[in-house]
Amino acid sequence: MKQGMRLGVASRLLAMITLVILTIGITSISPAQDVQAKGTQAQTPSTVLFQNVRIFDGTGNALSPPSNVLVRGNNIEKISTAPIPVDRGANTQIIEGGGRTLMPGLIDAHWHAMLIRPNPAQAIAGDIGYNNIAAGAEATDTLMRGFTTVRDVGGPAFGLKQAIDEGIVPGPRIFPSGAVITVTSGHGDFRQLSELPRVIGGPLSRMEQIGSSMLADSPDEVRVRVREQLMQGASQIKLTAGGGVSSPFSPIDASTFTEAELRAAVEAAENWGTYVTVHAFTPAAIQRAIVAGVKCIEHGFLMDEATAKLIANKGVWLSLQPLPEELRQGFPVGSVQRAKADEVWPGIARTYELAKKYKIKTAWGTDVLFSQALAQRQGAILASLARWYSPAEALAMATGTNAELLALSGKRNPYPGKLGVVQEGALADLLLVDGDPTANINLVADPIKSFVVIMKDGKVYKNILSR
Ligand SMILES: [Zn+2]
């Protein structure tokens, strides 16, 4: 009897523990699973038919003859020059294109969704709730500029991404890197000298607590920090392999991570099926990163011919930004940052020439930081590629080509499906442009007027034709 009671208590305890474990299991459901769960509850997918549009397909081909494009749910189901019959039910929307251009949503391959509206001090020391709400408002503006996807190369954007994916706030798809991983004194180390020395294993600095930048000074520390970003949903990993303009204590000429540290990051990322991209300007920093297995170089503005050849031969991606002159002038004359900007800026044009000369796989991005005004010129920065490329080449870079870079995330791609193209079976991120952007690239610089319909994931976020 006594034995039986004890057994009863034990089994009830066991049942409780099991329940707790199960509950923890359920509540720790990942954001991605949660969104999928909601997706399966959706009713009949809505249907949108674009009639009489000329298609820029995202690959640089000439515009199609007048065509019809059927979107069902979040997919482009059918493209045809012949009429496409649809049930004209309540769930079907017909958009009369009137011969306008239908093109893929734009992709910015170098964006920092959390670092547009705040100034540097607010971004790190400001209230987290405020910073997230400001980033949400900016994300909506980003989508309304026609940017349906961004590759976020540093910043605590996981919560913002989740809120966008759940439909809480309109915004682009985000391929997040999470925190920038940097060495002590490297680009991304925004601490004050008064915060030195760091105690290994001691309390984290503010920028680390909020997940903006993480310090790592050994291969082991790099592995921890990389895996933490992956655990939070990073689709790729960003390290700074050399000095940067905006950081107070990182000389431009400095190479930061050792080859062993870079290799540790690459191994950890590749074990998760994804890749490492690095911020690097100089030949030394770029070459070391490539030897370590890095798949993408951000900026590269101080590279030489030999480095350009190496990038081309290894099939490494070069993520370039035609940084506007205003950005350089924004750094106060006489400041360390201005001196560094003056060193880097002349390299921008030279690097574009090298990228073309050696046919390097080139992605396009803006790298807007700490300026809402500059962010409003996101499309204008794309249009400024006309210095080196035809309009169709520039548009293909910001759509189909950028999407190829995004696909390097493999199974860590948060949005499986084809992006950046108008093709049957691709995800329905589409812009209807009032005019022909392959004839006049400046149309993308004026999204309020030019983009008459903006669709992301099959949902219409803007349609000024139906008014
Ligand atoms: Zn950047």
Side-chain angles (χ1 to χ4, degrees):
M1 180 72 186
K2 238 180 170 180
Q3 182 87 6
M5 266 178 72
R6 251 189 247 130
L7 267 176
V9 170
S11 65
R12 247 173 289 153
L13 254 176
L14 191 68
M16 272 175 65
I17 292 166
T18 313
L19 188 66
V20 168
I21 290 169
L22 278 174
T23 313
I24 291 169
I26 289 162
T27 52
S28 68
I29 186 166
S30 77
Q33 285 169 310
D34 192 34
V35 170
Q36 277 166 9
K38 275 185 192 141
T40 56
Q41 288 162 14
Q43 309 91 3
T44 339
S46 67
T47 307
V48 178
L49 177 63
F50 291 91
Q51 292 194 143
N52 186 19
V53 293
R54 301 192 64 196
I55 300 164
F56 173 76
D57 67 3
T59 67
N61 290 333
L63 293 192
S64 73
S67 304
N68 306 303
V69 176
L70 179 68
V71 173
R72 194 185 303 276
N74 68 347
N75 269 282
I76 299 171
E77 188 176 276
K78 194 170 172 57
I79 300 174
S80 175
T81 51
I84 300 175
V86 285
D87 305 338
R88 300 199 168 220
N91 267 341
T92 303
Q93 186 182 358
I94 293 175
I95 295 175
E96 193 46 61
R100 295 180 179 86
T101 309
L102 189 73
M103 62 172 284
L106 296 168
I107 301 170
D108 191 327
H110 192 120
W111 190 245
H112 299 276
M114 297 301 294
L115 306 177
I116 305 294
R117 295 219 181 164
N119 63 36
Q122 282 171 329
I124 289 171
D127 181 85
I128 291 171
Y130 172 85
N131 283 348
N132 274 284
I133 289 170
E138 182 56 43
T140 303
D141 283 4
T142 306
L143 179 60
M144 290 306 158
R145 288 191 290 267
F147 287 85
T148 50
T149 302
V150 297
R151 189 172 67 126
D152 193 290
V153 280
F158 295 119
L160 174 67
K161 175 189 176 294
Q162 185 182 350
I164 291 170
D165 291 347
E166 290 177 3
I168 294 171
V169 62
R173 301 176 192 272
I174 296 180
F175 281 69
S177 306
V180 166
I181 301 170
T182 177
V183 300
T184 291
S185 86
H187 183 48
D189 182 354
F190 287 100
R191 293 173 304 163
Q192 307 296 312
L193 290 177
S194 57
E195 293 175 70
L196 303 185
R198 173 162 82 110
V199 179
I200 305 289
L204 295 173
S205 63
R206 169 75 181 174
M207 67 184 191
E208 293 173 292
Q209 288 166 14
I210 65 169
S212 193
S213 294
M214 296 305 293
L215 296 168
D217 288 298
S218 70
D220 288 342
E221 273 199 305
V222 167
R223 262 185 283 273
V224 172
R225 296 316 181 204
V226 168
R227 288 170 181 162
E228 285 171 349
Q229 307 318 307
L230 293 167
M231 185 175 175
Q232 294 172 85
S235 49
Q236 68 285 325
I237 294 296
K238 164 84 176 293
L239 269 71
T240 56
V245 171
S246 57
S247 301
F249 304 109
S250 76
I252 289 293
D253 59 285
S255 298
T256 52
F257 284 107
T258 64
E259 192 185 313
E261 288 163 345
L262 290 165
R263 210 180 279 283
V266 168
E267 277 172 10
E270 288 186 351
N271 285 340
W272 274 56
T274 185
Y275 70 99
V276 173
T277 189
V278 297
H279 162 108
F281 289 133
T282 64
I286 296 167
Q287 288 178 22
R288 186 185 292 176
I290 291 173
V291 168
V294 165
K295 292 285 191 295
C296 182
I297 305 293
E298 305 296 323
H299 319 305
F301 295 139
L302 299 177
M303 75 169 64
D304 53 16
E305 296 261 346
T307 310
K309 266 186 226 169
L310 178 72
I311 292 173
N313 291 342
K314 296 278 181 186
V316 166
W317 279 84
L318 181 59
S319 167
L320 289 185
Q321 308 79 30
L323 299 176
E325 180 60 14
E326 299 94 293
L327 192 61
R328 182 182 74 86
Q329 288 172 3
F331 297 110
V333 175
S335 68
V336 180
Q337 283 90 345
R338 177 59 177 267
K340 291 197 280 188
D342 291 347
E343 199 180 332
V344 166
W345 249 251
I348 297 170
R350 203 178 51 237
T351 306
Y352 269 107
E353 299 294 350
L354 286 171
K356 285 180 70 174
K357 179 174 174 185
Y358 292 102
K359 298 188 169 55
I360 292 171
K361 288 193 281 191
T362 308
W364 168 84
T366 55
D367 202 13
V368 171
L369 283 169
F370 311 122
S371 172
Q372 184 182 1
L374 200 55
Q376 286 166 348
R377 299 193 46 220
Q378 198 173 8
I381 296 172
L382 172 58
S384 79
L385 282 182
R387 290 167 70 189
W388 304 287
Y389 300 97
S390 73
E393 285 172 333
L395 292 171
M397 199 180 284
T399 54
T401 306
N402 272 357
E404 284 175 38
L405 170 58
L406 296 174
L408 277 192
S409 290
K411 289 207 166 141
R412 300 289 83 72
N413 175 352
Y415 311 102
K418 235 177 166 190
L419 288 170
V421 288
V422 183
Q423 281 172 10
E424 289 182 358
L427 292 168
D429 291 2
L430 297 167
L431 307 175
L432 188 60
V433 189
D434 195 10
D436 176 2
T438 66
N440 176 14
I441 185 80
N442 288 320
L443 289 172
V444 303
D446 190 4
I448 294 173
K449 256 173 65 188
S450 304
F451 299 159
V452 292
V453 175
I454 297 175
M455 171 182 275
K456 189 197 91 176
D457 208 33
K459 286 201 192 74
V460 175
Y461 286 87
K462 176 184 177 183
N463 179 2
I464 55 173
L465 290 180
S466 63
R467 273 185 209 153

